[in-house]
Amino acid sequence: MDHKCLRCGGSNFQPGAIQSTGSIFFVPDNTRFLSSLSSDVSLKTRICMDCGTLDFTGDTKKVAALVGADKAA
């Protein structure tokens, strides 16, 4: 991945996961009531090794399907 840190502009990242007693998911507002998809969207995360900022990414296609959008934003 060739992205820069949004905080410091660094490019030294370490991928990882956020942990709790259970999984952490993004659940979009305005999810359609009757959907064959589960409403949770897994998150991928990484930490900038230069400043410690964490960033998250999720599956925008799944979110679009959950909220009934024509395409992912």
Side-chain angles (χ1 to χ4, degrees):
M1 196 179 279
D2 190 29
H3 296 264
K4 301 286 185 189
C5 175
L6 296 175
R7 184 176 186 191
C8 74
S11 59
N12 184 17
F13 292 100
Q14 177 65 44
I18 300 297
Q19 293 186 330
S20 72
T21 56
S23 296
I24 296 175
F25 297 95
F26 173 76
V27 179
D29 288 342
N30 304 316
T31 300
R32 293 186 298 175
F33 180 66
L34 297 175
S35 174
S36 61
L37 297 172
S38 64
S39 61
D40 53 329
V41 178
S42 340
L43 299 173
K44 294 180 181 177
T45 189
R46 64 186 185 164
I47 188 169
C48 174
M49 297 299 289
D50 296 323
C51 71
T53 295
L54 292 168
D55 65 25
F56 299 90
T57 56
D59 184 348
T60 57
K61 290 179 183 175
K62 183 172 182 182
V63 173
L66 287 168
V67 299
D70 293 328
K71 60 183 178 179

